[in-house]
């Protein structure tokens, strides 16, 4: 439409005028758009990393956790102790570990039991990591190679031996390869048998803790805590001949026997496990996106304010335009287009800023934000809509002004 | 059918005790092709009349037919379209948009009409050529002299080829030389068949008109047909006999003087009557630097 093109040009002309004021006007939108895109991008990035984990841990890894984990619609955050994992007071017992390992179809299994202890090494007390009691099968279950040495000896479950996460090894010892070095847990001496390779950790996953952890034989951990150490997880893998689902069923049967059919445990396939994590993440992402979206709203109000001032300042101009034949609708569209343009340009700058932030995050953190074109489209669309909606109030004010009154207005 | 028919048109401003009667049951008919000068002391309602006739303002009472159509109570958007298609405005203070170039300013009425960009640039350019400032097309209004600005404003008023041109004190901010230029332009427009209405405080300028309306206190007190090229009789009387009663007349007199005696400085001189037309030529050769400014609300 020809007149619309003229209006668009008028809008451009006005925006071209006061550059800095326009920047401040757009700031709200810029921040809003870039934070929405960044937050959603981070969420998506983490999800990608988690699903990348499936391949790396293997689809057949089975996780047994205490208490039942709902995956339905009515979750609340506290259901998702998966986030911390360790805060669950264990209802998994010694006998459960036995039950799982004896369940038909299970090739290997390992408990994970975090205990609270005092660790002292040549560098002093070590507080950064967990002490985890586990069994010899762990590296195999997690597909996790060791960098140096060997893992715990399956034939010597009572040995005072330990395997360190890479970060733990660096923090506890001066030596680069502290194999054979000793340190103490609750006053008892332990020998370093091996050091893990870097765990391919993802944010929010349990493996994130493993780099700083100290792994000792499960029996020893029980001994140290006088059998009060909580098992927060049992990992298992089925034998190649046994399908995952069949194995899970047999594990459930075994555990139900030991738990007296109380069903206060959960057996998850790896993909279910990840789905649960993704849900928490979705919830968080949505929450933060909501907050970020509010800044879009605030940005819209900012645009409305500036446009109101602009309309007042330009009342004389409006009068002239009306005198030479501009209809109310043409004045209206001029100002709506102007504010839409402001917020749209703000949106574009916001998108650009989001990409810059994305780059910085990738460089300085282990986050891998994933910005999809959909969210870019949505964010800039919303910013355009905000401009139109909030711009229409000042535009109406301009359009309805009596021509002679507008003409008489002197700023 | 007359172009403009006003019947008992009144215009009131304000409410209650603060009410001002700017137009007091004015009735006037203006035919096509007339070149009408409106004169009268400040505050007598000249601008109010122009605004009503130009559909910028609505009369409080009375009937108004423009081109045979009742327009006294026209809705805003329709009035805008009538202004766009039939009326061209020229203001004392030029009223060009400061952030648009001269060409864009002149093309603006066409934009509101929906003419394509290419076409309106061409038309605006032609119009600027016609008023003699085509070489200033891409200048901003702030880079032009008052006379040039008014020429641009005239080009803008003409660009939609309106039937009626309304000029409220078009020479009010200009020196005599520029005033003459502007009046010559209006004259030309008139010759091509347009109806021109202009307000002035300068009796000299009634030379260009075919008819002079004298207003006082919201009434048209005298309506005089006059020959082009001659100062209207009543206006001449004002020029010769009336002492300079107010600043406006004073200024008008000074400009007449400058035109009469270009060789002497005008400052401090008494008002004398202007000489014949031939002296104007002498004045035009000389670059006048005296500017008169008048506050206009
Ligand atoms: N918006 C307004 N509100 C109130 N009174 C007004 C308004 N506009 C004009 N008036 C009054 O109406 C009367 C006529 O004003 P108008 O502007 O028509 O005079 P004018 O003849 O154009 O004067 P000038 O020669 O000084 O331009 C004046 O008394 C003026 O004070
Ligand atoms: Mg006036």
């Amino acid at each position: 439409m020809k007149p619309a093109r003229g209006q668009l040009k008028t809008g451009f002309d006005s925006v071209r005028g006061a550059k800095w004021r326009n920047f401040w006007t757009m700031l709200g939108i810029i921040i809003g758009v870039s934070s929405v895109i960044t937050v959603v991008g981070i969420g998506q990035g983490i999800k990608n990393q988690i699903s990348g984990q499936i391949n790396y841990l293997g689809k057949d890894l089975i996780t047994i956790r205490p208490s039942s984990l709902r995956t339905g619609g009515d979750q609340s955050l506290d259901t998702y102790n998966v986030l911390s994992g360790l805060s669950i007071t264990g209802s998994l017992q010694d006998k459960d570990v036995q039950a799982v390992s004896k369940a038909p179809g299970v090739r290997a299994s390992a408990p994970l039991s975090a205990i609270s202890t005092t660790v002292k090494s040549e560098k002093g007390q070590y507080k950064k990591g967990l002490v985890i009691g586990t069994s010899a099968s762990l590296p195999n279950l997690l597909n996790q190679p060791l960098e140096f040495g060997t893992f715990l000896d399956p034939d010597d479950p009572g040995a005072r031996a330990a395997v360190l996460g890479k970060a733990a090894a660096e923090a506890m010892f001066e030596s680069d390869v502290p194999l054979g070095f000793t340190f103490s847990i609750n006053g008892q001496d332990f020998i370093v048998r091996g050091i893990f390779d870097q765990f391919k950790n993802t944010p929010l996953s349990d493996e994130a803790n493993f780099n700083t952890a100290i792994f000792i034989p499960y029996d020893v951990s029980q001994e140290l805590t006088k059998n009060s150490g909580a098992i927060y997880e049992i990992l298992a893998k089925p034998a190649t001949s046994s399908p995952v689902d069949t194995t899970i069923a047999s594990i459930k049967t075994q555990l139900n026997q030991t738990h007296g059919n109380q069903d206060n445990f959960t057996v998850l396939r790896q993909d279910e496990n990840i789905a649960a994590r993704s849900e928490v993440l979705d919830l968080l992402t949505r929450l933060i996106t909501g907050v970020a979206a509010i800044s879009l709203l605030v940005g819209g109000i900012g645009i409305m304010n500036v446009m109101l001032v602009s309309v007042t300042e330009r009342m004389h101009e409006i009068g002239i335009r009306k005198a030479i034949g501009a209809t109310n609708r043409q004045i209206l569209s001029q100002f709506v287009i102007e504010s839409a343009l402001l917020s749209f340009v703000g949106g574009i700058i916001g998108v650009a800023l989001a990409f810059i932030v994305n780059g910085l995050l990738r460089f300085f953190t282990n986050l891998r934000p994933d910005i999809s074109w959909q969210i870019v489209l949505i964010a800039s669309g919303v910013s355009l809509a905000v401009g139109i909606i909030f711009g229409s109030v000042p535009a109406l004010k301009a359009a309805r002004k009596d021509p002679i009154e507008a003409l008489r207005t002197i700023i | 059918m007359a172009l403009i028919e006003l019947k008992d048109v009144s215009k009131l401003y304000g409410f209650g005790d603060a009410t001002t009667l700017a137009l007091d049951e004015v009735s006037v008919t203006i035919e096509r092709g007339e070149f009408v000068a409106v004169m009268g002391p400040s505050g007598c309602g000249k601008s109010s009349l122009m605004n009503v006739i130009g559909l910028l303002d609505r009369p409080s009472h009375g009937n108004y037919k423009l081109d045979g159509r009742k327009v006294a109570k026209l809705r805003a958007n329709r009035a805008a379209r009538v202004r766009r298609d039939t009326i061209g405005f020229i203001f004392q203070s030029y009223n060009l948009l400061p952030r648009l170039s001269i060409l864009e300013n002149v093309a603006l009425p066409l934009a509101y009409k929906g003419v394509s960009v290419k076409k309106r640039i061409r038309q605006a350019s032609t119009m600027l050529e016609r008023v003699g400032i085509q070489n200033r097309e891409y200048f901003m209004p702030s880079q032009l002299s008052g006379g040039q600005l008014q020429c641009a404003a005239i080009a803008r008023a003409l660009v939609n080829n309106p039937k009626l041109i309304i000029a409220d004190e078009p020479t009010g901010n200009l020196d005599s030389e520029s005033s003459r230029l502007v009046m010559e332009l209006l004259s030309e427009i008139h010759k091509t068949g347009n109806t021109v209405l202009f307000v002035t405080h300068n009796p000299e300028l009634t030379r260009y008109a075919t008819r002079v309306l004298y207003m006082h206190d919201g009434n048209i007190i005298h309506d005089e047909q006059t020959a082009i090229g001659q100062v209207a009789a009543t206006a001449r009387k004002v020029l010769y006999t009336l002492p300079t009663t107010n600043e406006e007349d004073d200024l008008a007199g000074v400009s007449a003087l400058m035109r009469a005696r270009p060789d002497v400085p005008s400052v401090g001189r008494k008002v004398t009557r202007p000489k014949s037309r031939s002296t104007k030529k002498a004045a035009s050769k000389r670059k006048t630097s005296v500017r008169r400014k008048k506050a206009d609300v």
Side-chain angles (χ1 to χ4, degrees), chain B residues 143-158:
Chain B
Q143 297 168 314
L144 263 62
S145 75
Q148 290 167 330
L149 286 174
Q150 198 60 296
C151 285
I154 291 173
R156 182 180 65 184
L158 290 178

Side-chain angles (χ1 to χ4, degrees), chain A residues 404-405 408, chain B residues 11-14 18-23 40-51 57 92 168-169 199 201 215 218 248 294-297:
Chain A
I404 191 67
E405 255 175 61
R408 261 198 284 257
Chain B
K11 180 70 198 176
L12 290 135
Y13 292 110
T19 307
T20 312
L21 186 60
L23 293 177
S42 191
C44 68
K46 302 183 296 295
S47 296
S48 304
L49 183 64
M50 293 303 114
N51 294 340
D57 212 351
Q92 179 179 357
D168 193 350
E169 300 190 43
V199 174
H201 286 282
M215 289 188 72
E248 241 98 84
K294 178 186 153 255
D296 180 78
V297 181

